[in-house]
Short mmCIF file of all heavy atoms in Angstrom, two decimals:
data_model
loop_
_atom_site.label_atom_id
_atom_site.label_comp_id
_atom_site.label_asym_id
_atom_site.label_seq_id
_atom_site.Cartn_x
_atom_site.Cartn_y
_atom_site.Cartn_z
N ALA A 287 -107.99 27.60 -27.31
CA ALA A 287 -107.41 27.67 -28.63
C ALA A 287 -108.41 28.15 -29.67
O ALA A 287 -108.07 28.88 -30.59
CB ALA A 287 -106.81 26.32 -29.04
N ALA A 288 -109.65 27.73 -29.53
CA ALA A 288 -110.68 28.15 -30.49
C ALA A 288 -110.89 29.66 -30.42
O ALA A 288 -111.02 30.32 -31.45
CB ALA A 288 -112.00 27.42 -30.19
N LEU A 289 -110.89 30.20 -29.20
CA LEU A 289 -111.04 31.67 -29.03
C LEU A 289 -109.85 32.39 -29.63
O LEU A 289 -110.02 33.37 -30.35
CB LEU A 289 -111.18 32.01 -27.55
CG LEU A 289 -111.20 33.50 -27.20
CD1 LEU A 289 -112.40 34.18 -27.85
CD2 LEU A 289 -111.22 33.70 -25.70
N SER A 290 -108.65 31.90 -29.36
CA SER A 290 -107.45 32.52 -29.87
C SER A 290 -107.43 32.53 -31.39
O SER A 290 -107.12 33.55 -32.03
CB SER A 290 -106.21 31.78 -29.31
OG SER A 290 -105.04 32.36 -29.83
N SER A 291 -107.75 31.41 -31.96
CA SER A 291 -107.78 31.29 -33.43
C SER A 291 -108.83 32.21 -34.03
O SER A 291 -108.58 32.90 -35.02
CB SER A 291 -108.07 29.83 -33.83
OG SER A 291 -108.22 29.70 -35.21
N PHE A 292 -110.02 32.21 -33.43
CA PHE A 292 -111.10 33.05 -33.93
C PHE A 292 -110.71 34.53 -33.87
O PHE A 292 -110.93 35.28 -34.83
CB PHE A 292 -112.39 32.82 -33.12
CG PHE A 292 -113.51 33.72 -33.51
CD1 PHE A 292 -114.27 33.46 -34.65
CD2 PHE A 292 -113.80 34.87 -32.78
CE1 PHE A 292 -115.30 34.30 -35.02
CE2 PHE A 292 -114.82 35.71 -33.15
CZ PHE A 292 -115.58 35.43 -34.28
N MET A 293 -110.14 34.96 -32.74
CA MET A 293 -109.78 36.36 -32.57
C MET A 293 -108.67 36.77 -33.54
O MET A 293 -108.72 37.88 -34.10
CB MET A 293 -109.36 36.66 -31.12
CG MET A 293 -110.51 36.56 -30.13
SD MET A 293 -111.84 37.72 -30.44
CE MET A 293 -111.07 39.25 -29.95
N THR A 294 -107.71 35.90 -33.77
CA THR A 294 -106.63 36.19 -34.73
C THR A 294 -107.20 36.36 -36.12
O THR A 294 -106.88 37.34 -36.83
CB THR A 294 -105.60 35.07 -34.70
OG1 THR A 294 -105.04 34.96 -33.40
CG2 THR A 294 -104.47 35.34 -35.71
N ARG A 295 -108.06 35.44 -36.53
CA ARG A 295 -108.66 35.50 -37.86
C ARG A 295 -109.56 36.74 -38.00
O ARG A 295 -109.52 37.44 -39.00
CB ARG A 295 -109.45 34.24 -38.15
CG ARG A 295 -109.94 34.20 -39.62
CD ARG A 295 -110.78 32.98 -39.92
NE ARG A 295 -112.08 33.13 -39.29
CZ ARG A 295 -112.59 32.26 -38.40
NH1 ARG A 295 -111.93 31.19 -38.09
NH2 ARG A 295 -113.76 32.47 -37.85
N CYS A 296 -110.32 37.00 -36.98
CA CYS A 296 -111.25 38.13 -37.00
C CYS A 296 -110.48 39.47 -37.06
O CYS A 296 -110.85 40.36 -37.81
CB CYS A 296 -112.14 38.09 -35.76
SG CYS A 296 -113.53 39.23 -35.84
N GLN A 297 -109.39 39.58 -36.29
CA GLN A 297 -108.57 40.79 -36.33
C GLN A 297 -107.93 40.98 -37.71
O GLN A 297 -107.86 42.08 -38.23
CB GLN A 297 -107.51 40.74 -35.23
CG GLN A 297 -106.74 42.02 -35.09
CD GLN A 297 -105.83 42.03 -33.88
OE1 GLN A 297 -105.59 41.01 -33.27
NE2 GLN A 297 -105.33 43.20 -33.55
N ARG A 298 -107.45 39.88 -38.29
CA ARG A 298 -106.83 39.95 -39.63
C ARG A 298 -107.87 40.39 -40.66
O ARG A 298 -107.59 41.24 -41.50
CB ARG A 298 -106.24 38.60 -39.99
CG ARG A 298 -105.47 38.60 -41.30
CD ARG A 298 -104.86 37.24 -41.62
NE ARG A 298 -105.87 36.19 -41.61
CZ ARG A 298 -105.80 35.11 -40.86
NH1 ARG A 298 -104.81 34.90 -40.03
NH2 ARG A 298 -106.75 34.20 -40.93
N ASP A 299 -109.06 39.84 -40.57
CA ASP A 299 -110.13 40.23 -41.50
C ASP A 299 -110.52 41.69 -41.32
O ASP A 299 -110.77 42.42 -42.28
CB ASP A 299 -111.37 39.34 -41.31
CG ASP A 299 -111.13 37.90 -41.73
OD1 ASP A 299 -110.11 37.62 -42.42
OD2 ASP A 299 -111.97 37.04 -41.36
N ALA A 300 -110.59 42.13 -40.05
CA ALA A 300 -110.93 43.52 -39.76
C ALA A 300 -109.87 44.46 -40.34
O ALA A 300 -110.20 45.51 -40.91
CB ALA A 300 -111.07 43.73 -38.26
N LYS A 301 -108.61 44.10 -40.20
CA LYS A 301 -107.52 44.95 -40.71
C LYS A 301 -107.61 45.08 -42.22
O LYS A 301 -107.49 46.18 -42.76
CB LYS A 301 -106.16 44.42 -40.32
CG LYS A 301 -105.03 45.26 -40.89
CD LYS A 301 -103.85 45.31 -40.01
CE LYS A 301 -102.68 46.07 -40.55
NZ LYS A 301 -102.93 47.28 -41.28
N SER A 302 -107.87 44.00 -42.92
CA SER A 302 -107.96 44.07 -44.38
C SER A 302 -109.17 44.89 -44.81
O SER A 302 -109.10 45.69 -45.76
CB SER A 302 -107.98 42.69 -45.01
OG SER A 302 -109.18 42.02 -44.76
N THR A 303 -110.28 44.76 -44.09
CA THR A 303 -111.49 45.54 -44.39
C THR A 303 -111.22 47.01 -44.14
O THR A 303 -111.57 47.87 -44.96
CB THR A 303 -112.67 45.05 -43.56
OG1 THR A 303 -112.92 43.68 -43.85
CG2 THR A 303 -113.92 45.87 -43.85
N CYS A 304 -110.60 47.32 -43.01
CA CYS A 304 -110.33 48.73 -42.67
C CYS A 304 -109.31 49.33 -43.63
O CYS A 304 -109.42 50.51 -43.97
CB CYS A 304 -109.84 48.82 -41.22
SG CYS A 304 -111.12 48.41 -40.03
N ASP A 305 -108.32 48.56 -44.06
CA ASP A 305 -107.36 49.05 -45.05
C ASP A 305 -108.09 49.38 -46.36
O ASP A 305 -107.78 50.38 -47.02
CB ASP A 305 -106.27 48.03 -45.32
CG ASP A 305 -105.21 47.99 -44.24
OD1 ASP A 305 -105.09 48.98 -43.48
OD2 ASP A 305 -104.50 46.97 -44.14
N ALA A 306 -109.04 48.55 -46.74
CA ALA A 306 -109.81 48.81 -47.96
C ALA A 306 -110.64 50.08 -47.80
O ALA A 306 -110.72 50.89 -48.74
CB ALA A 306 -110.73 47.62 -48.28
N TYR A 307 -111.26 50.29 -46.63
CA TYR A 307 -112.01 51.52 -46.39
C TYR A 307 -111.08 52.74 -46.50
O TYR A 307 -111.45 53.76 -47.08
CB TYR A 307 -112.63 51.53 -44.99
CG TYR A 307 -113.84 50.63 -44.80
CD1 TYR A 307 -114.13 50.13 -43.56
CD2 TYR A 307 -114.69 50.32 -45.86
CE1 TYR A 307 -115.24 49.33 -43.37
CE2 TYR A 307 -115.78 49.52 -45.67
CZ TYR A 307 -116.06 49.00 -44.41
OH TYR A 307 -117.15 48.22 -44.21
N ALA A 308 -109.85 52.62 -45.93
CA ALA A 308 -108.91 53.73 -45.97
C ALA A 308 -108.50 54.02 -47.42
O ALA A 308 -108.38 55.19 -47.79
CB ALA A 308 -107.69 53.41 -45.11
N MET A 309 -108.31 53.00 -48.21
CA MET A 309 -107.95 53.21 -49.62
C MET A 309 -109.10 53.84 -50.38
O MET A 309 -108.88 54.72 -51.22
CB MET A 309 -107.51 51.90 -50.27
CG MET A 309 -106.15 51.42 -49.78
SD MET A 309 -105.51 50.04 -50.70
CE MET A 309 -105.24 50.77 -52.28
N ASP A 310 -110.33 53.40 -50.12
CA ASP A 310 -111.50 53.98 -50.76
C ASP A 310 -111.60 55.47 -50.46
O ASP A 310 -112.02 56.26 -51.31
CB ASP A 310 -112.78 53.30 -50.30
CG ASP A 310 -112.93 51.90 -50.86
OD1 ASP A 310 -112.18 51.55 -51.80
OD2 ASP A 310 -113.79 51.15 -50.35
N ARG A 311 -111.22 55.83 -49.24
CA ARG A 311 -111.29 57.23 -48.84
C ARG A 311 -110.02 57.99 -49.19
O ARG A 311 -109.88 59.16 -48.85
CB ARG A 311 -111.56 57.31 -47.35
CG ARG A 311 -112.88 56.58 -47.02
CD ARG A 311 -113.42 56.84 -45.68
NE ARG A 311 -113.72 58.18 -45.33
CZ ARG A 311 -114.77 58.87 -45.72
NH1 ARG A 311 -115.63 58.31 -46.55
NH2 ARG A 311 -114.98 60.09 -45.31
N LYS A 312 -109.08 57.32 -49.85
CA LYS A 312 -107.82 57.91 -50.31
C LYS A 312 -107.03 58.53 -49.16
O LYS A 312 -106.47 59.61 -49.28
CB LYS A 312 -108.09 58.95 -51.40
CG LYS A 312 -108.68 58.33 -52.67
CD LYS A 312 -108.90 59.35 -53.72
CE LYS A 312 -109.26 58.70 -55.02
NZ LYS A 312 -110.62 58.45 -55.29
N LEU A 313 -106.98 57.81 -48.02
CA LEU A 313 -106.20 58.26 -46.88
C LEU A 313 -104.76 57.80 -47.02
O LEU A 313 -104.50 56.75 -47.60
CB LEU A 313 -106.82 57.72 -45.58
CG LEU A 313 -108.22 58.14 -45.26
CD1 LEU A 313 -108.70 57.43 -44.01
CD2 LEU A 313 -108.28 59.65 -45.07
N ALA A 314 -103.86 58.57 -46.48
CA ALA A 314 -102.43 58.21 -46.51
C ALA A 314 -101.76 58.72 -45.26
O ALA A 314 -102.27 59.62 -44.58
CB ALA A 314 -101.77 58.78 -47.75
N GLY A 315 -100.62 58.16 -44.94
CA GLY A 315 -99.81 58.62 -43.83
C GLY A 315 -100.50 58.45 -42.49
O GLY A 315 -101.12 57.43 -42.19
N ALA A 316 -100.39 59.50 -41.66
CA ALA A 316 -100.93 59.46 -40.30
C ALA A 316 -102.47 59.30 -40.31
O ALA A 316 -103.01 58.63 -39.43
CB ALA A 316 -100.54 60.71 -39.54
N ALA A 317 -103.14 59.92 -41.26
CA ALA A 317 -104.59 59.81 -41.32
C ALA A 317 -105.01 58.36 -41.55
O ALA A 317 -105.93 57.85 -40.93
CB ALA A 317 -105.16 60.70 -42.40
N LYS A 318 -104.29 57.67 -42.43
CA LYS A 318 -104.60 56.26 -42.72
C LYS A 318 -104.31 55.37 -41.49
O LYS A 318 -105.11 54.55 -41.11
CB LYS A 318 -103.79 55.76 -43.91
CG LYS A 318 -104.06 54.30 -44.22
CD LYS A 318 -103.21 53.80 -45.35
CE LYS A 318 -103.50 52.32 -45.57
NZ LYS A 318 -102.53 51.69 -46.44
#
Side-chain angles (χ1 to χ4, degrees):
L289 175 62
S290 179
S291 175
F292 175 80
M293 291 300 288
T294 300
R295 188 182 72 238
C296 192
Q297 187 171 14
R298 185 178 55 237
D299 292 346
K301 178 147 177 39
S302 70
T303 300
C304 292
D305 282 340
Y307 286 153
M309 288 189 67
D310 288 347
R311 302 193 58 78
K312 296 181 170 89
L313 298 175
K318 179 183 178 192

